[in-house]
Amino acid sequence: MAKPSYPRARRLAETIRRLVGEWLEAEQADQPGALVTVTDVRVTDDLHHASVFFTVLGDDQARAETEAWVASAAVQARTFVASQLRLRHVPTLEFVSDTVPGQGARIDRLLAELGAPEGSDQEGSGA
């Protein structure tokens, strides 16, 4: 019996994250392009839908092209996941671009801008 603190949806999400990562690695080996990384997977409690969050390493054009390709290849990804799992119903996969890394970089940049004048004054007076 599974532990109640480790629900089935979370276990399935981790498995789907691993499998989609393997599928992306195999697909990207055939095509040159931007690097895609699966950052998170969230599965609904009824196990019928999975949101796959991903990031794309590259410029804006490569990011847009890769996001369009990943969205159109969701059925292929689901087919691969279904071939690896023994479930009666494999969740539908929805690929969602993860904005957290970009937001984190923006926050870091803003903090650096705010701290730059103070940091330069403190470094000069502390020496």
Side-chain angles (χ1 to χ4, degrees), residues 48-126:
H48 285 270
H49 182 78
S51 297
V52 180
F53 293 89
F54 67 96
T55 59
V56 179
L57 183 63
D59 60 356
D60 290 337
Q61 180 183 359
R63 186 175 296 124
E65 291 172 359
T66 304
E67 287 176 6
W69 171 76
V70 169
S72 67
V75 174
Q76 294 171 338
R78 183 177 185 226
T79 302
F80 177 79
V81 169
S83 71
Q84 303 295 317
L85 294 177
R86 290 181 298 177
L87 293 175
R88 180 174 291 180
H89 178 80
V90 175
T92 57
L93 301 180
E94 175 191 11
F95 285 90
V96 179
S97 180
D98 195 353
T99 59
V100 170
Q103 291 172 348
R106 180 176 174 265
I107 290 170
D108 288 342
R109 189 176 59 249
L110 291 172
L111 289 173
E113 289 174 7
L114 289 174
E118 293 176 10
S120 61
D121 289 341
Q122 290 177 352
E123 291 173 4
S125 65

